[in-house]
Amino acid sequence: MVDNLDKAARSEIMKKVKSTSRMEEEVRKALWESGIRFRKNVKNLMGKPDIAINKYKVVIFIDSCFWHACPLHGRIPKSNIDFWKAKLERNKTRDEEVNHYYRSKGWNLNRVWEHELKKDFTNTVEDLVNFIKSNI
């Protein structure tokens, strides 16, 4: 499918796309209500973790099935296939680099798939709370 907008118009639309999802906001709210205090999208940490507790070296990433190429639900769009394959492969590689970085520095890392939250939000958040509490 050909883009029916010129480059400037498409750029303006893309600037308005939020960097966090509603799912991430719901997880943050649930963690906060559980008494967990954290920082979100910490720019000075590698990979800009969705949730970080520097004091206890805890980082949590909430990965969308599309952008992080979930093995169960990830898919490649039907148009511009070469671009999307390269883009999603680079995202997976970056995730692995980030994982290696934190583990090599002694941080406690947890990645949660979007589909886990959709399937059982309450238990997934409870698992996150337990993960955090076991590392503080």
Side-chain angles (χ1 to χ4, degrees):
M1 186 168 121
V2 176
D3 196 353
N4 59 357
L5 299 173
D6 63 30
K7 195 171 184 176
R10 176 60 59 205
S11 180
E12 281 303 308
I13 289 171
M14 294 307 289
K15 284 179 188 176
K16 294 176 184 176
V17 174
K18 293 182 178 184
S19 65
T20 61
S21 71
R22 185 177 0 186
M23 187 70 68
E24 290 173 20
E25 292 300 324
E26 289 176 20
V27 170
R28 289 183 187 127
K29 182 179 177 186
L31 290 177
W32 197 265
E33 289 172 353
S34 297
I36 306 291
R37 299 300 177 250
F38 55 85
R39 298 287 175 246
K40 62 181 187 172
N41 298 336
V42 182
K43 294 177 184 173
N44 65 343
L45 290 177
M46 184 174 185
K48 199 171 143 188
D50 298 310
I51 296 166
I53 306 172
N54 288 349
K55 180 177 179 180
Y56 301 110
K57 292 186 163 186
V58 171
V59 290
I60 297 171
F61 293 89
I62 301 168
D63 294 341
S64 97
C65 288
F66 175 76
W67 289 109
H68 295 269
C70 171
L72 299 176
H73 304 103
R75 62 175 184 76
I76 295 176
K78 292 183 173 145
S79 62
N80 207 359
I81 293 170
D82 292 335
F83 167 81
W84 284 109
K85 278 185 180 178
K87 170 70 175 162
L88 296 175
E89 192 57 42
R90 176 64 187 127
N91 289 354
K92 285 180 11 181
T93 302
R94 186 180 313 111
D95 290 345
E96 291 168 10
E97 291 167 358
V98 168
N99 291 350
H100 176 73
Y101 172 83
Y102 283 111
R103 289 190 176 121
S104 71
K105 302 286 185 194
W107 283 66
N108 302 293
L109 168 83
N110 195 332
R111 285 191 176 270
V112 178
W113 284 109
E114 167 191 28
H115 69 260
E116 294 173 308
L117 290 162
K118 286 182 177 177
K119 182 178 178 184
D120 190 349
F121 183 84
T122 304
N123 282 332
T124 304
V125 169
E126 190 175 306
D127 289 345
L128 284 175
V129 169
N130 291 334
F131 169 77
I132 293 167
K133 287 184 176 179
S134 71
N135 290 295
I136 58 174

